[in-house]
Amino acid sequence: MKSAVIGAGMLGLDLAERLNASPVLSCELVASRQSSASALRRAAQLGCSVSTEGITAVVHAGVDVVFDASSAEAHPAHWAALASADVLLVDLTPSSGGSMLTPTVNAVRAESDRHLSLVSCGGQAVLPVLDAITSTSERVEDVEVVTTVASASIGPATRDNLDEYLATTEYAVKRLTGAMRAKVLATISPALPAPAFRAQITTCAYGIQPAELAQAVEAAATAVRQYAPGYEVRALSVAEDLVRVTVTVTARGGRLPSYAGNVEIINAAAVTLAERYARSREVGCRG
């Protein structure tokens, strides 16, 4: 299936490279209104057509899948422009529009829903673990998530979208776990050498059996590593009803620096879901 990417920052360029490496997707167009000329030149070097006309160029591109790597503020207009078209829109901004998906939790919805939300990079890192905690406990009451990301791995749009990042990730955590209270915090680290992307989860979960939880969390991590090989559970502890888990994500493929695990996990998840959509449509056409 032919794809287009909106946005030519680190996120968009890495997406274009992943799409061209996919067996069922290709990147036909990278479009943006605010990208630098050098960013669009890099996209062209990957074999993609480029445009500074943004969503206008995408609407006329005749593609099957659109990946929005722009901003939360711009995304609603992009969906409005594409809502009547027969395309899949994959939202990598924290706009909270569309169906919130994580490949290891509810990927099947990618086969039928046309507007997919990847929540946030933090959401993609913690939701698989929180799903494991929820499935092995009687109930979850409180969740706190603290993410740490290297300053060099985020661009201006991500910084501008920080409030949306926190709110959308909190909402996704509550929906998945059923917790009444969820708090998400984010640290942008200027440290050198740049730290790997990290997410720390603290939750009050009742009825936990430590051995069963450890097995479920490791199974979740193994599943995530099928598309994000640098995903690791670094620590897991249970003290009565208090569960603490730390995960890190290291970028291991493409042109990304190793510390850009935040980009790796959300882009890998987005392509994985789009590939599932493409394969389901192929089966439908054959049927």
Side-chain angles (χ1 to χ4, degrees):
M1 283 190 166
K2 297 179 180 180
S3 304
V5 176
I6 307 174
M10 181 183 289
L11 206 68
L13 291 174
D14 179 65
L15 263 177
E17 186 171 20
R18 290 174 187 273
L19 291 169
N20 283 337
S22 169
V24 294
L25 300 167
S26 64
C27 183
E28 300 296 314
L29 172 68
V30 175
S32 177
R33 287 189 178 278
Q34 300 180 353
S35 298
S36 66
S38 61
L40 291 179
R41 280 198 300 270
R42 288 195 295 272
Q45 290 168 358
L46 294 173
C48 310
S49 297
V50 298
S51 173
T52 57
E53 295 301 314
I55 187 62
T56 302
V58 171
V59 168
H60 295 98
V63 296
D64 307 293
V65 184
V66 177
F67 296 83
D68 192 349
S70 60
S71 69
E73 181 181 9
H75 180 76
H78 296 163
W79 170 239
L82 295 168
S84 61
D86 184 23
V87 300
L88 173 70
L89 179 57
V90 183
D91 180 15
L92 290 93
T93 81
S95 72
S96 75
S99 304
M100 294 185 174
L101 269 64
T102 302
T104 62
V105 178
N106 57 351
V108 68
R109 295 186 62 180
E111 298 178 10
S112 57
D113 295 3
R114 290 183 43 249
H115 187 191
L116 311 183
S117 167
L118 272 293
V119 184
S120 64
C121 56
Q124 291 300 321
V126 303
L127 292 174
V129 171
L130 286 170
D131 183 56
I133 294 172
T134 302
S135 66
T136 54
S137 66
E138 295 173 2
R139 71 181 188 279
V140 174
E141 284 197 354
D142 295 273
V143 181
E144 180 184 85
V145 172
V146 180
T147 61
T148 301
V149 63
S151 177
S153 71
I154 63 172
T158 301
R159 295 171 189 270
D160 289 344
N161 291 172
L162 187 57
D163 288 344
E164 291 88 348
Y165 168 92
L166 299 176
T168 298
T169 308
E170 284 180 5
Y171 178 66
V173 166
K174 287 180 181 178
R175 284 193 59 182
L176 176 67
T177 64
M180 294 296 294
R181 293 174 295 275
K183 184 67 175 178
V184 176
L185 304 170
T187 299
I188 300 173
S189 174
L192 294 175
F197 178 55
R198 182 175 71 251
Q200 296 169 289
I201 304 164
T202 304
T203 181
C204 188
Y206 295 93
I208 285 287
Q209 298 298 320
E212 181 184 9
L213 173 63
Q215 185 177 13
V217 168
E218 183 52 37
T222 299
V224 174
R225 282 194 290 272
Q226 297 303 305
Y227 56 91
Y231 186 90
E232 297 287 345
V233 176
R234 294 294 184 180
L236 168 61
S237 66
V238 181
E240 296 183 349
D241 300 320
L242 192 64
V243 179
R244 292 187 174 93
V245 186
T246 300
V247 301
T248 60
V249 188
T250 303
R252 293 188 176 178
R255 303 180 182 186
L256 291 177
S258 61
Y259 57 77
N262 52 314
V263 177
E264 169 109 337
I265 194 164
I266 195 168
N267 279 359
V271 173
T272 296
L273 292 169
E275 287 179 338
R276 180 158 184 159
Y277 168 80
R279 291 189 173 102
S280 71
R281 292 291 289 264
E282 182 181 11
V283 170
C285 290
R286 288 176 179 174

